[in-house]
Amino acid sequence: MLNRRTLAAALIAVLAAPSLAAAQATTPSASQIERQLQAAPTTKLRPNQRVTVREFKRRPDLRRMAPSIDIQSINFAFGSAEVPYSQYGKVENIANALERILRRDPGARVLIEGHTDAVGSFASNQTLSERRAASLKQTLVREFGIPRYALETVGYGEEFLLVPTQNENWRNRRVTLRRYDAFIR
């Protein structure tokens, strides 16, 4: 009887996986990423209102004003920060968008924000989100030639959940790209 239950559970998981995998596999195109990051900030700051990069990272009110796009499709192994080679096609979309933006505006700067779901301790999620953001930056720099100076990283762990739940939810495990050069002094 146990074998039938195990088999039934496995069959259900296989049948349910395509819809979850399809939802997770949706990667924005390079054009979509570029368009989102090229958008005007929702509010233009006067020069005396501009902040340091460090302050920008700590101010959700400013970050919400900046052009951004969530990338939910880069799949990391559980507890891992390494960008698997199988995900490089998705990362290439990001790299192509960044290359075009930097070609037009060499002063463009993008913050890579790492986010997790709420499963696990706050501290471990914080560390994991920081490591994942840094890993994506490293991949963009080493494998795709994006200039290191154009990218900053930060991890927010479970602090800014898209889906407010203490349970596992793949939508919360994401990277957000946020253009911040209009906010920095």
Side-chain angles (χ1 to χ4, degrees):
M1 192 71 158
L2 181 62
N3 288 339
R4 285 186 181 164
R5 285 184 187 161
T6 304
L7 182 60
L11 184 57
I12 289 169
V14 167
L15 293 175
S19 61
L20 179 60
Q24 288 178 322
T26 305
T27 302
S29 69
S31 295
Q32 290 170 313
I33 296 168
E34 181 182 10
R35 203 169 28 258
Q36 289 292 118
L37 294 178
Q38 287 288 98
T42 59
T43 303
K44 187 170 173 138
L45 296 182
R46 293 187 307 271
N48 67 336
Q49 294 175 306
R50 292 182 179 220
V51 298
T52 65
V53 175
R54 187 178 201 169
E55 290 171 296
F56 182 80
K57 290 177 181 181
R58 292 182 184 164
R59 301 245 334 248
D61 60 320
L62 291 180
R63 288 196 320 277
R64 280 191 295 271
M65 294 179 203
S68 66
I69 186 166
D70 286 326
I71 311 291
Q72 296 171 313
S73 60
I74 297 175
N75 299 311
F76 293 91
F78 181 77
S80 172
E82 180 183 340
V83 177
Y85 184 74
S86 64
Q87 303 300 299
Y88 278 26
K90 298 170 185 179
V91 177
E92 185 174 25
N93 285 352
I94 297 169
N96 290 339
L98 293 175
E99 283 173 355
R100 293 195 296 245
I101 290 168
L102 289 165
R103 199 174 311 127
R104 275 194 307 280
D105 182 0
R109 299 295 180 265
V110 174
L111 180 64
I112 301 171
E113 300 177 358
H115 301 271
T116 65
D117 60 23
V119 175
S121 74
F122 184 87
S124 65
N125 284 335
Q126 179 63 37
T127 300
L128 183 58
S129 68
E130 291 168 6
R131 289 177 46 229
R132 285 181 174 171
S135 181
L136 178 58
K137 176 181 177 175
Q138 180 178 338
T139 302
L140 286 165
V141 170
R142 286 187 181 168
E143 302 298 328
F144 296 96
I146 301 301
R148 181 174 298 283
Y149 67 81
L151 303 172
E152 267 296 321
T153 63
V154 67
Y156 292 114
E158 60 191 69
E159 191 173 349
F160 300 105
L161 299 174
L162 288 179
V163 179
T165 179
Q166 293 301 304
N167 297 319
E168 181 179 342
N169 190 301
W170 65 268
R171 288 177 194 91
N172 290 324
R173 294 188 302 264
R174 68 194 187 283
V175 172
T176 301
L177 304 177
R178 196 172 307 275
R179 180 132 178 222
Y180 68 90
D181 46 283
F183 298 85
I184 304 303
R185 49 181 128 155

